[in-house]
């Protein structure tokens, strides 16, 4: 039995408030624990989005009642909330900015809308950018101009990892995360994922080419964190005529990483650095005392949506054979998961921003 520290997932869509048919604080944190994840950072693009004091309270109230693992909640940058977010910073995981995708009230169409957020948000609190390709380059320029760190969410392209590498070599304060689906899947896998339902292959950023995937692996030292971007949508929604983009990922993260360790594509130290040590540093997260994950390294099994705790009812890794099974999770001295059963009660999870 292998013992690991509890994993931190800095990028999770919990879907509550507003879309609890997809997931809520209860099922998302059950999925986390089953995957060996003991702390999640929740994204703000819920319904309503988390972008002021009252919506932050709404999310944190639900989390306080339902969460079974530890957590913090991001606030979202909108066109006119830059003035009020600094007052919320100490209660938030960080500031999330959607620079080039349309997310209703969190839409930032012009760079003039980025400026007040970079100016006002307290420098010791992290800013996370959803920014793809050239927009990412613009985000890194903002980090340089405003002399503050930025964390780039879910990089997926060769040009992105190479630019971040060049920026880091020049001392620019940029960090980044990569999702398992951008490491283990490429465009070529879409037909297999879809199996007649094209919506199941939809994810943002899109799956890369084989060359993109190879360059992420080749530049593993540039990647600071693994993050799932767990983005559950119900299987009915994924198979509809208007499928929303997003993959679930909390329960497949560690098995996929351990399988890669087994194949010597990663080291165990990579997993610990990028899933525990670096996210803790980048997001200034506290240590979780008496917290660990026990893994049966030699257990081989098949990924099946039917065995998962996420409410969404599907996984892009259906049928994948993985090696390394989470047997037990201990969170702050209490067994939270053991042999396929969630033991932590709703509300056991702690908001790590409340000290
Ligand atoms: Zn996301």
């Amino acid at each position: 039995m292998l013992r690991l520290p509890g994993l931190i997932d800095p990028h999770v869509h919990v879907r509550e408030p507003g879309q609890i048919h997809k997931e809520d604080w209860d099922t998302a944190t059950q999925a986390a624990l089953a995957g060996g994840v003991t702390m999640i950072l929740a994204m703000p693009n819920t319904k309503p989005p988390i972008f002021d004091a009252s919506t932050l309270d709404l999310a944190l109230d639900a989390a306080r009642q339902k969460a079974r693992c530890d957590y913090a909640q991001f606030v979202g940058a909108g066109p006119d909330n830059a003035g009020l977010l600094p007052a919320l910073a100490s209660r938030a995981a960080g500031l999330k900015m959607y620079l080039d995708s349309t997310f209703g009230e969190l839409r930032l169409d012009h760079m003039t809308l980025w400026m007040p957020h970079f100016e006002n948000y307290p420098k010791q609190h992290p800013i996370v950018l959803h920014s793809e390709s050239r927009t990412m380059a613009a985000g890194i320029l903002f980090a340089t101009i405003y002399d503050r760190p930025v964390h780039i969410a879910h990089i997926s392209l060769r040009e992105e990892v190479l630019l971040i590498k060049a920026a880091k070599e020049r001392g620019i304060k940029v960090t980044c995360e990569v999702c398992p689906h951008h490491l283990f899947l490429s465009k070529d896998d879409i037909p297999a994922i879809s199996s007649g339902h094209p919506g199941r292959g939809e994810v943002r950023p899109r799956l890369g080419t084989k060359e993109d995937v190879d360059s992420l692996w080749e530049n593993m030292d540039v990647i600071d964190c693994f993050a799932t971007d767990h983005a559950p949508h119900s299987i009915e929604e994924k198979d509809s005529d208007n499928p929303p983009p997003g993959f679930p990922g909390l329960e497949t993260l560690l098995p996929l990483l351990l399988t890669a360790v087994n194949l010597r594509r990663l080291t165990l130290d990579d997993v610990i650095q990028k899933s525990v040590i670096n996210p803790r540093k980048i997001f200034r997260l506290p240590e979780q005392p008496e917290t660990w994950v026990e893994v049966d390294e030699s257990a081989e099994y098949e990924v099946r949506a039917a065995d998962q705790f996420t409410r969404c009812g599907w996984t892009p890794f259906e049928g994948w054979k993985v090696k390394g099974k989470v047997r037990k999770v201990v969170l702050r001295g209490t067994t939270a998961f053991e042999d396929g059963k969630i033991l932590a009660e709703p509300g056991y999870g702690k908001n790590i921003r409340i000290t």
Side-chain angles (χ1 to χ4, degrees):
M1 208 65 89
L2 172 71
R3 191 191 264 217
L4 298 172
L7 268 58
I8 298 167
D9 186 348
H11 195 143
V12 174
H13 295 272
V14 171
R15 304 301 188 204
E16 184 171 13
Q19 296 180 306
I20 62 172
H21 66 286
K22 299 175 196 273
E23 198 82 292
D24 69 0
W25 277 96
D26 185 355
T27 53
T29 53
Q30 288 189 49
L33 288 171
V37 173
T38 54
M39 189 188 294
I40 61 169
L41 304 186
M43 285 296 153
N45 61 331
T46 46
K47 285 192 172 167
I50 308 309
F51 65 165
D52 60 13
S54 67
T55 49
L56 180 59
D57 285 340
L58 201 60
L60 294 181
D61 280 347
R64 193 177 56 244
Q65 291 168 45
K66 294 185 179 181
R68 299 176 194 244
C69 74
D70 294 349
Y71 60 88
Q73 170 69 52
F74 279 96
V75 288
D80 41 40
N81 65 351
L84 55 91
L85 293 181
L88 306 177
S90 63
R91 297 168 62 207
L95 174 66
K96 177 72 183 285
M97 298 181 67
Y98 291 92
L99 298 190
D100 57 0
S101 67
T102 53
F103 261 105
E105 287 149 279
L106 297 183
R107 194 162 142 172
L108 300 168
D109 285 329
H110 303 287
M111 284 190 283
T112 52
L113 298 175
W114 309 0
M115 291 175 182
H117 290 288
F118 274 83
E119 270 161 26
N120 291 329
Y121 204 69
K123 272 196 183 176
Q124 69 273 28
H125 294 282
I127 290 186
V128 177
L129 306 181
H130 178 133
S131 59
E132 299 178 36
S133 185
R134 292 174 196 188
T135 311
M136 188 201 79
I140 294 174
L141 178 64
F142 267 67
T144 315
I145 292 171
Y146 290 92
D147 187 30
R148 59 174 308 151
V150 291
H151 179 77
I152 311 294
H154 43 51
I155 66 164
S156 64
L157 302 174
R158 180 166 182 270
E159 62 178 19
E160 292 170 349
V161 75
L162 294 182
L163 189 73
I164 290 172
K165 181 176 191 228
K168 283 183 171 191
E169 284 166 2
R170 284 155 183 80
I172 296 172
K173 295 173 200 148
V174 57
T175 55
C176 68
E177 66 191 30
V178 69
C179 305
H181 52 265
H182 291 124
L183 281 178
F184 293 95
L185 298 170
S186 74
K187 277 185 186 353
D188 301 346
D189 295 300
I190 291 176
I193 299 167
S194 306
S195 60
H197 304 280
R200 293 193 201 178
E202 289 292 339
V203 67
R204 297 292 179 277
R206 291 182 170 82
L207 295 177
T209 63
K210 199 78 187 63
E211 291 68 38
D212 290 320
V213 174
D214 289 345
S215 73
L216 294 177
W217 284 99
E218 283 158 17
N219 292 286
M220 192 51 73
D221 57 328
V222 178
I223 294 163
D224 298 281
C225 305
F226 296 129
T228 63
D229 194 8
H230 179 80
H233 298 288
S234 74
I235 195 150
E236 293 78 18
E237 291 168 321
K238 291 298 277 183
D239 293 351
S240 71
D241 292 337
N242 190 18
F247 293 165
L250 278 165
E251 287 157 275
T252 40
L253 165 73
L254 186 53
L256 289 168
L257 295 177
L258 290 172
T259 304
V261 170
N262 204 266
L263 296 169
R264 302 188 190 286
R265 301 187 78 191
L266 286 175
T267 66
L268 214 44
D269 189 55
D270 289 329
V271 176
I272 293 168
Q273 287 294 330
K274 297 175 203 299
S275 290
V276 185
I277 312 284
N278 292 344
R280 192 181 282 156
K281 214 184 305 173
I282 292 165
F283 298 99
R284 296 170 187 250
L285 305 170
E287 287 202 28
Q288 294 175 291
E290 289 183 78
T291 297
W292 68 87
V293 178
E294 288 175 19
V295 169
D296 184 346
E297 289 169 276
S298 56
E300 291 183 66
Y301 68 103
E302 212 173 273
V303 173
R304 295 191 326 171
D307 299 332
Q308 297 199 331
F309 289 89
T310 172
R311 187 167 285 151
C312 72
W314 79 285
T315 163
F317 299 103
E318 183 75 34
W320 277 45
K321 294 198 172 45
V322 288
K323 191 168 181 180
K325 197 172 178 67
V326 177
R327 289 286 181 212
K328 184 175 179 175
V329 178
V330 176
L331 173 55
R332 288 181 279 104
T334 300
T335 302
F337 174 86
E338 192 166 25
D339 291 330
K341 288 196 182 64
I342 304 288
L343 301 175
E345 295 290 329
Y348 182 71
K350 244 177 64 176
N351 181 349
I352 55 86
R353 287 293 191 238
I354 295 177
T355 44

